[in-house]
Amino acid sequence: KAGVTQTPRYLIKTRGQQVTLSCSPISGHRSVSWYQQTPGQGLQFLFEYFSETQRNKGNFPGRFSGRQFSNSRSEMNVSTLELGDSALYLCASSLGEQSYNEQFFGPGTRLTVL
Amino acid sequence: AQTVTQSQPEMSVQEAETVTLSCTYDTSENNYYLFWYKQPPSRQMILVIRQEAYKQQNATENRFSVNFQKAAKSFSLKISDSQLGDTAMYFCAFRPSYNTDKLIFGTGTRLQVFP
């Protein structure tokens, strides 16, 4: 079974631009979560989607948004990029059911904002 | 608010020896999950071990075991017979409730295993 995939793996943008990152979960998984990883702030939760609905949201400005499609693939978008948005963006998927489901992480997208 | 604290930024251990990584957390909830994740230099995050808060018995997975002290809100990871492949960042994480996958991570401990 294929793991969680994220595209692109590396991205370079300039301040003010916008960016869209994609996450394809493991087949059959309905929950996708996004995290931002930086040296200064560590791993921070961005948002979580389950069956196309946002189930939880972290403490990030409105420039960060996401969505989930009917095939469970998810995208996150960052508008008006700032230097501080440079980070590794990780997504994780799980079955998403109420009982415990293991989350599997993707390799991440490394975003550099110049 | 829930928080997770890892007070050891870096640790080192010799191959075949045992090392313990510390983690404390803060929550007012009674039911939750605790995890240790490993992030090797290749960056793929991998689940090492999990503990359900309602279980008194400490979780074990081969060479990895935890010491879960619910009253003290402490959750340490013991790695026995350390191997070179254990070199990685280790993150302690807390999941607040059953109806979410949201993880709250500690700042991580960088573990170096020396031959």
Side-chain angles (χ1 to χ4, degrees):
Chain A
K1 193 183 257 189
V4 179
T5 57
Q6 293 187 243
T7 57
R9 292 293 309 279
Y10 302 91
L11 207 47
I12 299 175
K13 292 285 188 178
T14 56
R15 279 181 300 175
Q17 287 187 309
Q18 75 163 14
V19 68
T20 299
L21 312 182
S22 180
C23 173
S24 292
I26 291 171
S27 177
H29 285 192
R30 295 162 65 193
S31 171
V32 173
S33 299
W34 288 89
Y35 296 85
Q36 181 196 64
Q37 185 174 19
T38 60
Q41 299 297 317
L43 279 152
Q44 293 187 288
F45 171 77
L46 279 156
F47 24 65
E48 173 191 3
Y49 289 89
F50 176 72
S51 292
E52 301 179 67
T53 300
Q54 189 178 84
R55 187 157 68 173
N56 222 324
K57 188 178 188 304
N59 189 26
F60 278 81
R63 300 185 297 107
F64 291 81
S65 63
R67 59 179 175 169
Q68 186 180 34
F69 302 95
S70 58
N71 62 358
S72 294
R73 189 177 69 86
S74 177
E75 289 182 347
M76 65 163 282
N77 183 276
V78 188
S79 62
T80 320
L81 283 166
E82 300 177 359
L83 295 178
D85 298 333
S86 293
L88 181 69
Y89 290 88
L90 297 172
C91 82
S93 77
S94 83
L95 291 171
E97 295 160 359
Q98 287 200 355
S99 58
Y100 171 75
N101 303 127
E102 183 175 346
Q103 286 189 78
F104 295 85
F105 282 81
T109 293
R110 168 72 64 187
L111 172 65
T112 301
V113 182
L114 302 175
Chain B
Q2 293 100 352
T3 58
V4 177
T5 302
Q6 292 180 250
S7 58
Q8 305 154 316
E10 293 185 359
M11 295 279 285
S12 62
V13 64
Q14 199 149 23
E15 207 175 2
E17 295 297 307
T18 296
V19 64
T20 299
L21 308 184
S22 302
C23 173
T24 58
Y25 61 94
D26 190 26
T27 183
S28 57
E29 299 200 21
N30 193 43
N31 295 317
Y32 48 86
Y33 290 104
L34 294 164
F35 306 88
W36 279 97
Y37 281 89
K38 170 184 176 181
Q39 190 178 39
S42 67
R43 296 288 186 179
Q44 194 101 21
M45 192 85 74
I46 304 164
L47 176 65
V48 174
I49 197 166
R50 81 167 191 272
Q51 175 79 43
E52 290 92 335
Y54 65 88
K55 288 187 178 179
Q56 291 187 339
Q57 188 173 6
N58 289 324
T60 61
E61 286 288 342
N62 302 313
R63 298 183 295 108
F64 299 88
S65 61
V66 299
N67 183 2
F68 173 50
Q69 302 290 327
K70 191 173 183 179
K73 294 180 183 174
S74 170
F75 183 62
S76 61
L77 174 70
K78 185 171 83 171
I79 306 175
S80 304
D81 187 26
S82 297
Q83 300 176 359
L84 296 177
D86 295 334
T87 293
M89 280 290 289
Y90 286 82
F91 293 96
C92 179
F94 170 95
R95 201 180 90 173
S97 71
Y98 291 125
N99 197 29
T100 180
D101 281 349
K102 173 183 175 181
L103 293 168
I104 298 168
F105 286 94
T107 50
T109 296
R110 185 177 302 279
L111 177 67
Q112 179 73 49
V113 180
F114 292 97

